[in-house]
């Protein structure tokens, strides 16, 4: 009987040690984890990411520091996304070198290249193949667009399709 008591106490003691050690293990969060914890919102630093374009080039958001960035999340099946693409294309053609227009596609398993060709899109389309950027930016509705200033700070978040003049207005507000 005493052996059972000793074994029970030993098991409880070992479990307590394991729990304390598990709670003690605190790793430093990554920049993306911090951004998610704080929430991707206006006034926050835009979480960095690196994605490939349709042509296989790599685009890293932090490499665009110093530029105004329009970061748009969209899908090929999304009606409002399709509706705003011509306005984004027009803005891309009008914009100077201090503005970057990026379209992050969240359904890369579909025919994104065909969609881009059919609609005459020339601005960079990034493929979120692992659904990581979509998750980091907490996208729940598309299109969703972030306007990021030249210091990498999110100034505006717009959910839903926008006309050209609204896009221009948000870009002009950025520093």
């Amino acid at each position: 009987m005493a052996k059972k008591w000793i074994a029970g106490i030993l098991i409880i003691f070992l479990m307590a040690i394991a729990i304390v050690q598990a709670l003690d293990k605190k790793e430093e969060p990554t920049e993306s984890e911090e951004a998610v914890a704080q929430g991707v919102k206006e006034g926050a630093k835009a979480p960095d990411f690196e994605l490939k374009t349709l042509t296989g080039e790599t685009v890293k958001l932090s490499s665009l520091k110093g530029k105004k960035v329009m970061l748009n999340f969209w899908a090929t099946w999304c009606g409002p996304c399709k509706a705003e693409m011509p306005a984004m294309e027009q803005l891309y053609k009008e914009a100077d070198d201090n503005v970057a227009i990026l379209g992050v596609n969240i359904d890369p398993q579909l025919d994104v290249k065909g969609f881009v060709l059919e609609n005459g899109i020339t601005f960079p389309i990034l493929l979120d193949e692992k659904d990581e950027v979509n998750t980091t930016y907490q996208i729940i509705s598309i299109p969703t667009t972030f306007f990021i200033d030249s210091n990498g700070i999110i100034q505006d978040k717009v959910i839903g399709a926008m006309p050209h003049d609204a896009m221009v207005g948000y870009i002009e507000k950025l520093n």
Side-chain angles (χ1 to χ4, degrees), residues 32-170:
S32 294
E33 290 168 338
E34 272 186 38
V36 170
Q38 294 174 2
V40 179
K41 57 188 175 206
E42 295 169 0
K45 185 176 188 316
D48 198 15
F49 62 83
E50 189 171 315
L51 292 174
K52 290 203 181 290
T53 66
L54 283 171
T55 59
E57 297 171 55
T58 300
V59 173
K60 188 169 184 173
L61 184 63
S62 60
S63 71
L64 299 172
K65 192 167 182 177
K67 293 186 177 203
K68 300 173 183 183
V69 178
M70 178 178 169
L71 181 64
N72 176 270
F73 290 83
W74 68 282
T76 58
W77 49 264
C78 166
C81 300
K82 292 177 189 178
E84 78 175 351
M85 285 291 174
M88 289 178 63
E89 180 63 24
Q90 181 182 351
L91 181 62
Y92 178 69
K93 288 178 178 173
E94 295 168 352
D96 61 26
D97 291 341
N98 293 324
V99 176
I101 314 275
L102 302 173
V104 177
N105 176 267
I106 65 168
D107 64 353
Q109 69 280 7
L110 299 179
D111 185 17
V112 180
K113 194 170 198 167
F115 178 91
V116 166
L117 291 172
E118 182 180 314
N119 291 282
I121 298 167
T122 60
F123 59 87
I125 299 296
L126 310 177
L127 303 173
D128 191 9
E129 293 176 337
K130 296 179 183 173
D131 203 34
E132 291 172 350
V133 179
N134 177 38
T135 301
T136 299
Y137 276 79
Q138 304 168 344
I139 304 303
I140 55 173
S141 179
I142 53 172
T144 294
T145 306
F146 293 88
F147 290 90
I148 304 166
D149 69 17
S150 59
N151 295 313
I153 306 299
I154 298 168
Q155 295 300 320
D156 288 291
K157 175 182 177 182
V158 179
I159 298 173
M162 286 179 283
H164 176 265
D165 60 338
M167 294 175 190
V168 169
Y170 283 111

